[in-house]
Amino acid sequence: MNSNFEPKTHEDTEKTLSRTKLKKASLDITDFAKKLLELSEDRLKKLPLEEHIIYELLKAKPMKKIALKRQTQYIGKLMRNSDIDQAVEYYDKLMQKNKASNVEFKRLEQLRDALIHPESMKEALDRLVEKYPAVDIQKLRQLIRAYHKEVQKSPDEESSATPKSYKLIFQFLKSLSQG
């Protein structure tokens, strides 16, 4: 038998777990640094982080492949030694705003599509008036009629160009939801 063999004790297991947890935490911070690199330069400059970390993030933006990987690991190392709680909160708020605006965008697109289809137009108009009583129905109906006229004029060019009134309907709905 090997006389150097010692059974693992509870203390050894705790050390292994803490090392594992530390490594996971450091990988999470490096992953967070990768996510930060997806932000625009303006948003990066607004991050509540130390200036040298923001400088390194901006420096990493144009990098590719291996250099980017090394730089990201370096940024992760810098971030491990500083307080990043506020930066995480800031990033989460940004992502929530993006998700909310995407959901609103899709909702407006669906409403526009319902308005331009004759079968669902009446229901969509009723819902719109119910939600926004001050809506200018006359203008909206004008835009819808203009859309149908544009589509009738060029039925074979349907796929190549989006009718102008299609975009105007969306802009009308967007201004209605924002104001």
Side-chain angles (χ1 to χ4, degrees):
M1 281 179 90
N2 189 352
S3 60
N4 292 334
F5 176 74
E6 296 176 16
K8 285 190 174 182
T9 63
H10 182 66
E11 291 172 7
D12 291 339
T13 308
E14 280 184 9
K15 286 180 184 177
T16 306
L17 286 176
S18 66
R19 268 192 243 135
T20 303
K21 287 180 182 176
L22 286 173
K23 186 169 183 174
K24 176 150 178 28
S26 68
L27 288 174
D28 288 345
I29 291 173
T30 304
D31 289 342
F32 179 62
K34 287 178 190 174
K35 289 177 184 177
L36 290 178
L37 288 173
E38 296 171 3
L39 296 176
S40 67
E41 287 186 22
D42 293 337
R43 287 189 172 169
L44 278 177
K45 289 177 183 176
K46 292 178 184 175
L47 277 171
L49 286 173
E50 296 170 17
E51 280 187 42
H52 67 280
I53 295 175
I54 292 174
Y55 172 75
E56 295 298 333
L57 283 164
L58 291 171
K59 205 165 90 173
K61 286 288 257 181
M63 292 182 181
K64 304 276 187 233
K65 297 186 182 185
I66 302 296
L68 179 62
K69 182 178 178 182
R70 276 195 305 261
Q71 184 70 6
T72 307
Q73 288 173 338
Y74 176 65
I75 293 168
K77 178 182 174 185
L78 292 175
M79 290 172 76
R80 281 191 293 275
N81 298 326
S82 67
D83 184 29
I84 62 167
D85 293 337
Q86 289 179 339
V88 171
E89 286 177 26
Y90 178 81
Y91 180 80
D92 288 342
K93 285 179 185 175
L94 277 177
M95 293 301 107
Q96 288 301 323
K97 283 181 185 176
N98 286 346
K99 286 179 185 176
S101 65
N102 286 344
V103 166
E104 178 66 12
F105 185 83
K106 288 190 185 297
R107 187 185 70 78
L108 290 174
E109 281 183 330
Q110 289 172 346
L111 181 58
R112 176 192 54 200
D113 292 342
L115 285 169
I116 63 173
H117 286 90
E119 304 87 36
S120 59
M121 184 175 79
K122 184 164 177 24
E123 281 181 41
L125 277 173
D126 291 343
R127 281 185 286 149
L128 195 63
V129 169
E130 192 176 301
K131 189 168 184 175
Y132 304 104
V135 65
D136 186 1
I137 297 268
Q138 186 177 0
K139 182 174 180 176
L140 185 57
R141 287 181 189 224
Q142 223 173 18
L143 291 171
I144 293 169
R145 275 194 302 275
Y147 168 78
H148 289 293
K149 284 181 183 177
E150 287 177 35
V151 170
Q152 285 177 354
K153 279 184 182 177
S154 57
D156 51 322
E157 296 176 22
E158 226 175 320
S159 60
S160 64
T162 306
K164 181 181 176 186
S165 52
Y166 189 73
K167 294 174 186 175
L168 290 174
I169 294 170
F170 182 81
Q171 290 172 359
F172 179 83
L173 294 173
K174 187 175 177 184
S175 67
L176 187 66
S177 72
Q178 290 175 347

